[in-house]
Amino acid sequence: MNSTTADTRDTLSETTSENILRFGQGSAVLDARTGAPQGFSCDVDQRREYLIDPEIPWHSPDFYWGTGAVVTSVGARTWNTPTRRVGGENSERLEFDLHQAGLTLSVTRTGGEHLTERHAWRNTGDTDLDITQLSIEAPFNNYYPSAEKALAECVHAHVFAGGNWAWAYAEPMDGSAPSLGLIVTRGAIHSYSLQTQNESVFSNVRGHIVLNVTDHAIAPDSFGGQPVIHLAAGEQYVLETELGWYDSRPAFEARTNAPAHFSSYASKVGGSIDLTTTLDARPDQGLTMERTASGYRLTSEQAGTYYVHLSGHGYEAKTEVLFHESLPTTVAKRVHYILEHQVASARPGTLAASLVSVDTRTGLQVIDPFWNDWTDGSERICMAVLLQKAVNHGWTNAEDAEATQRECDGWRDFVEEHLLDETGASRRGSTQPTESFGKRLYDMPWVAQFYCEHFRATKDEHDLDMLVRILHRLSELGGKHFLSIEFAETSACAASLLREHGRADEARTILDSVVSSAQYFLSLGRNIPPHEVAYEQSVVAPLLSLLIEAYRQTGEATYLNGIRERLPWLLSFSGFQPDCRLNGIAIRHWDGHWFGIMRSFGDTFPHYWSALTTEVLLRLPKEVRTEETDLMASQILRENMANYAPDGTATCAFVFPSSVDGRAMNRADPLANDQDEHLNIWMRMIEEEGASVD
């Protein structure tokens, strides 16, 4: 897989293109003006659109498949319309004049069992030049117009940009087959970017995916480092890929011929990860490698993510692994940091016990009552739950234990004075208008979750009274027709506590609401109503949680069948790339904008709500649960530990792409905001489902 080759230009017969290239069980539909694929269609699922529909307003020929941009030491140029287009039998060749950048580009596409594409950029000058940006559009239809339309027509695009070891997999959102897989067979993809992912399209659009041979001009340090490609006069860089249809992830993975295999992608400090490979491996500083019979054993004494660089047999590849501190240690450090930096103790009265976001660069608290995701309520509730659960597990530092419980007691007073009204309805923050009580149904199960934990610590019957009040009010406000995150799990916890303390009738009423909600959403089929986002993993996971709890309560086969049908919807969100930020992690792309200081959209990997998938997988009925689902659940929990630093700081959003709308990313947002619910979910799974503390 050399970067440059001698000139071996292919020739095609001079015939008129029919604008269709057949490959496998489908075809590429070519734009008559540019020759670029406008869409990929599969014979067995012709409604599915694997590429963004050209009729969508934010999609234009500028983003068609295979268009792109290059920056060199000579200049810069985009390409779209060829200067020459030659058609052949089930093939085409396009020629582009990129003289502003000192290059020409020849693109060849050939159908068959696979659609093969060859891009060759030639230095046409008399002197050497350097390429610092080389990007190709791959506008997979990763778009959420509505649940029903997304499940029927759209795809999740899982991208792995590991150098020569690189691929993309466009999987139907309902988990059906076939999927469209792209594999790099020559050359390299060192990162990917997103375009048109901004305030104009907001959270229902992932944007245009861009595959980067290099993104050095914008984000030189991203993805373990972006190369500069040196071309001598007359020399060319060649990128070759193949596209094909696949009925399963294992079938696609077998085709990629992966040069390395990892026993896992995340391990506790003191543990190890086994790397099986015949290639030479080079670690980042801080990562230790020991030779084994099959490859290497990876260890580290310092928590963090590390790149592993692989070379040999034509490969120059890389990927990331994570070593993290233990769950009890991470929880204790987060608790200490929250007590020191995220308790708003300078505020008056009971507001002094509120918990807020903090800029980890400075230690300054960030409170904005008019930016919903920076208030002292909503997702910040997860910090209070974390503090109380840490006390209940005995996982605080000794010097923090009493202070933590005092803060939890004070936070309860804060909630009852500022976040809840007399009916048990909540509002998003203490300074939100009073008419906003009960307007955000997400928040109420989280507050109820805190009361469950506080009761366990204090045995104060008032907490049970508040649990009942909040969950009843949630139902009155329409909660049974709304997929509140953690509703099923919190209701089950509340019912258990109520039964244990002689309040069985109230417990039954709460669980009846869960069953009623499950029946309602089961009746809707694929027509799930929009929530804050039209369709997302954190809607499908609560839906499955409802069905799981309803099946536990009733044993009725209709709920089991509903689980089986909808589980592929959830799993199709989760990536399977060999990378500690991607393997098992669900696609989510808006939290950097809403929750972070950088206010950037873009894939957030890992995002803590991916742990909702773990909850579902560990609570699955025995008829559905497998070793594979258990393994994915464990992997997701451990990979989310990438969001916490050894000093107790955290990030609400690691924006993963190398760049988003031309701004360098692949970095952690400095705001510690809402990420701690992942730790709460892990602790709950230990308590309720026997998950491992490791």
Side-chain angles (χ1 to χ4, degrees):
M1 296 192 177
N2 298 321
S3 298
T4 57
T5 66
D7 185 6
T8 56
R9 176 179 297 181
D10 299 320
T11 58
L12 299 173
S13 60
E14 298 282 346
T15 60
T16 303
S17 169
E18 297 180 357
N19 297 322
I20 296 288
L21 296 179
R22 292 286 307 175
F23 66 103
Q25 56 185 325
S27 59
V29 180
L30 307 180
D31 178 56
R33 298 166 297 172
T34 66
Q38 278 189 327
F40 296 118
S41 176
C42 183
D43 299 341
V44 300
D45 187 5
Q46 294 187 8
R47 186 179 176 187
R48 183 80 54 189
E49 296 184 354
Y50 292 83
L51 298 185
I52 299 171
D53 187 339
E55 300 302 316
I56 290 177
W58 45 268
H59 184 53
S60 69
D62 307 281
F63 303 103
Y64 281 178
W65 181 274
T67 61
V70 63
V71 177
T72 74
S73 50
V74 173
R77 178 68 174 173
T78 59
W79 67 86
N80 183 307
T81 305
T83 56
R84 185 167 181 253
R85 183 183 180 196
V86 179
E89 183 178 353
N90 205 27
S91 64
E92 70 166 354
R93 187 180 73 225
L94 311 175
E95 304 288 346
F96 298 86
D97 180 4
L98 310 180
H99 68 272
Q100 295 94 333
L103 301 169
T104 59
L105 168 61
S106 175
V107 178
T108 303
R109 295 188 177 96
T110 305
E113 181 182 357
H114 298 90
L115 177 65
T116 60
E117 295 187 299
R118 181 179 186 269
H119 289 69
W121 295 267
R122 176 176 293 282
N123 179 358
T124 58
D126 298 327
T127 59
D128 298 358
L129 61 74
D130 290 329
I131 298 176
T132 56
Q133 185 77 33
L134 188 53
S135 305
I136 300 176
E137 299 286 340
F140 293 112
N141 192 30
N142 204 153
Y143 169 45
Y144 309 98
S146 68
E148 192 169 32
K149 190 174 179 67
L151 288 164
E153 300 178 17
C154 301
V155 296
H156 295 301
H158 303 293
V159 182
F160 177 57
N164 299 133
W165 183 18
W167 49 261
Y169 191 74
E171 184 171 31
M173 288 192 181
D174 63 358
S176 63
S179 297
L180 180 66
L182 176 147
I183 302 170
V184 172
T185 57
R186 184 180 186 181
I189 297 297
H190 288 283
S191 66
Y192 77 92
S193 300
L194 292 175
Q195 294 175 331
T196 61
Q197 232 275 285
N198 50 51
E199 292 83 354
S200 297
V201 294
F202 282 107
S203 301
N204 291 322
V205 175
R206 190 180 177 193
H208 289 92
I209 294 172
V210 185
L211 304 178
N212 299 316
V213 175
T214 181
D215 201 13
H216 185 276
I218 296 175
D221 298 325
S222 66
F223 283 63
Q226 297 293 293
V228 174
I229 300 169
H230 183 79
L231 287 185
E235 199 172 24
Q236 67 180 3
Y237 182 90
V238 175
L239 176 70
E240 293 180 354
T241 61
E242 68 168 39
L243 277 165
W245 305 102
Y246 297 90
D247 288 334
S248 69
R249 291 181 174 189
F252 174 73
E253 287 183 297
R255 181 71 181 180
T256 65
N257 193 27
H261 299 275
F262 293 80
S263 59
S264 66
Y265 305 100
S267 175
K268 191 170 63 175
V269 169
S272 63
I273 297 172
D274 289 330
L275 166 59
T276 301
T277 186
T278 60
L279 303 182
D280 294 326
R282 175 176 56 84
D284 274 356
Q285 185 175 359
L287 185 66
T288 300
M289 285 187 171
E290 174 190 350
R291 279 279 191 178
T292 64
S294 59
Y296 300 85
R297 177 156 293 138
L298 314 181
T299 58
S300 180
E301 297 305 315
Q302 179 67 36
T305 57
Y306 301 92
Y307 276 94
V308 178
H309 304 265
L310 304 167
S311 61
H313 308 305
Y315 276 97
E316 289 291 338
K318 60 193 173 183
T319 193
E320 285 180 284
V321 296
L322 166 70
F323 283 88
H324 60 84
E325 294 184 312
S326 70
L327 178 61
T329 298
T330 301
V331 168
K333 289 185 175 182
R334 276 298 295 144
V335 167
H336 184 76
Y337 187 87
I338 289 169
L339 292 177
E340 290 289 313
H341 298 281
Q342 298 190 250
V343 178
S345 55
R347 303 173 88 187
T350 56
L351 287 170
S354 59
L355 295 163
V356 297
S357 305
V358 66
D359 184 341
T360 59
R361 298 169 299 183
T362 62
L364 289 174
Q365 294 178 352
V366 176
I367 308 171
D368 186 341
F370 297 104
W371 188 259
N372 286 333
D373 296 314
W374 286 5
T375 67
D376 53 13
S378 289
E379 280 79 359
R380 270 61 58 200
I381 296 166
C382 72
M383 284 187 280
V385 176
L386 175 64
L387 295 182
Q388 190 63 76
K389 288 186 81 69
V391 171
N392 295 353
H393 276 252
W395 286 357
T396 64
N397 296 328
E399 63 273 18
D400 290 336
E402 290 186 10
T404 306
Q405 188 59 58
R406 282 197 304 272
E407 167 56 24
C408 291
D409 296 342
W411 193 84
R412 188 181 74 165
D413 294 338
F414 155 74
V415 163
E416 294 182 12
E417 183 172 347
H418 297 286
L419 294 188
L420 298 177
D421 68 8
E422 65 279 0
T423 71
S426 67
R427 57 179 174 175
R428 297 195 70 164
S430 62
T431 57
Q432 296 278 297
T434 56
E435 60 267 22
S436 70
F437 281 112
K439 292 295 180 65
R440 193 183 194 240
L441 301 184
Y442 281 118
D443 297 2
M444 295 170 72
W446 304 338
V447 178
Q449 188 180 101
F450 169 80
Y451 277 104
C452 286
E453 297 303 324
H454 195 265
F455 177 78
R456 285 172 168 162
T458 66
K459 298 298 185 288
D460 186 345
E461 288 275 338
H462 172 76
D463 293 332
L464 296 184
D465 294 340
M466 291 301 296
L467 268 178
V468 172
R469 184 181 304 174
I470 292 167
L471 292 175
H472 283 181
R473 185 60 174 146
L474 176 62
S475 291
E476 291 172 355
L477 291 169
K480 288 187 284 189
H481 295 171
F482 184 85
L483 290 167
S484 295
I485 296 168
E486 308 286 2
F487 169 60
E489 293 83 354
T490 300
S491 295
C493 176
S496 177
L497 293 175
L498 288 165
R499 280 195 302 265
E500 289 172 9
H501 292 82
R503 301 171 69 163
D505 289 344
E506 291 169 308
R508 185 71 262 161
T509 299
I510 287 171
L511 291 176
D512 285 347
S513 291
V514 173
V515 174
S516 175
S517 182
Q519 184 58 48
Y520 169 75
F521 281 103
L522 198 61
S523 72
L524 295 180
R526 293 182 169 216
N527 190 25
I528 304 169
H531 288 58
E532 288 187 342
V533 178
Y535 181 66
E536 56 176 318
Q537 174 257 0
S538 52
V539 162
V540 180
L543 169 60
L544 277 158
S545 289
L546 276 177
L547 299 179
I548 291 167
E549 190 58 37
Y551 182 62
R552 288 183 172 186
Q553 296 302 318
T554 67
E556 293 180 9
T558 184
Y559 298 115
L560 180 61
N561 294 335
I563 293 164
R564 285 189 168 123
E565 179 184 351
R566 288 156 181 78
L567 184 59
W569 305 357
L570 179 65
L571 296 183
S572 67
F573 280 96
S574 294
F576 60 106
Q577 301 94 313
D579 186 296
C580 67
R581 293 188 176 277
L582 303 172
N583 196 267
I585 301 300
I587 292 171
R588 191 175 172 105
H589 58 261
W590 56 87
D591 289 271
H593 173 78
W594 297 110
F595 291 89
I597 282 179
M598 294 191 297
R599 297 282 177 91
S600 175
F601 285 98
D603 295 346
T604 307
F605 297 145
H607 189 271
Y608 73 94
W609 280 140
S610 60
L612 293 175
T613 297
T614 287
E615 273 190 322
V616 169
L617 297 180
L618 293 182
R619 298 178 74 244
L620 283 173
K622 67 180 187 305
E623 297 93 331
V624 183
R625 187 170 170 176
T626 66
E627 290 184 7
E628 289 75 17
T629 58
D630 283 356
L631 180 62
M632 178 182 283
S634 174
Q635 189 81 354
I636 293 167
L637 289 176
R638 285 184 280 121
E639 288 176 345
N640 269 276
M641 297 295 267
N643 288 333
Y644 314 103
D647 62 356
T649 57
T651 176
C652 65
F654 187 97
V655 182
F656 186 79
S658 60
S659 55
V660 177
D661 276 353
R663 291 167 291 148
M665 292 296 158
N666 197 235
R667 61 186 181 184
D669 193 286
L671 200 66
N673 189 343
D674 64 326
Q675 65 290 315
D676 297 307
E677 184 66 9
H678 152 253
L679 300 175
N680 297 333
I681 289 172
W682 195 341
M683 286 189 279
R684 186 187 310 118
M685 291 298 97
I686 292 169
E687 298 160 2
E688 299 175 5
E689 307 300 334
S692 172
V693 73
D694 295 324

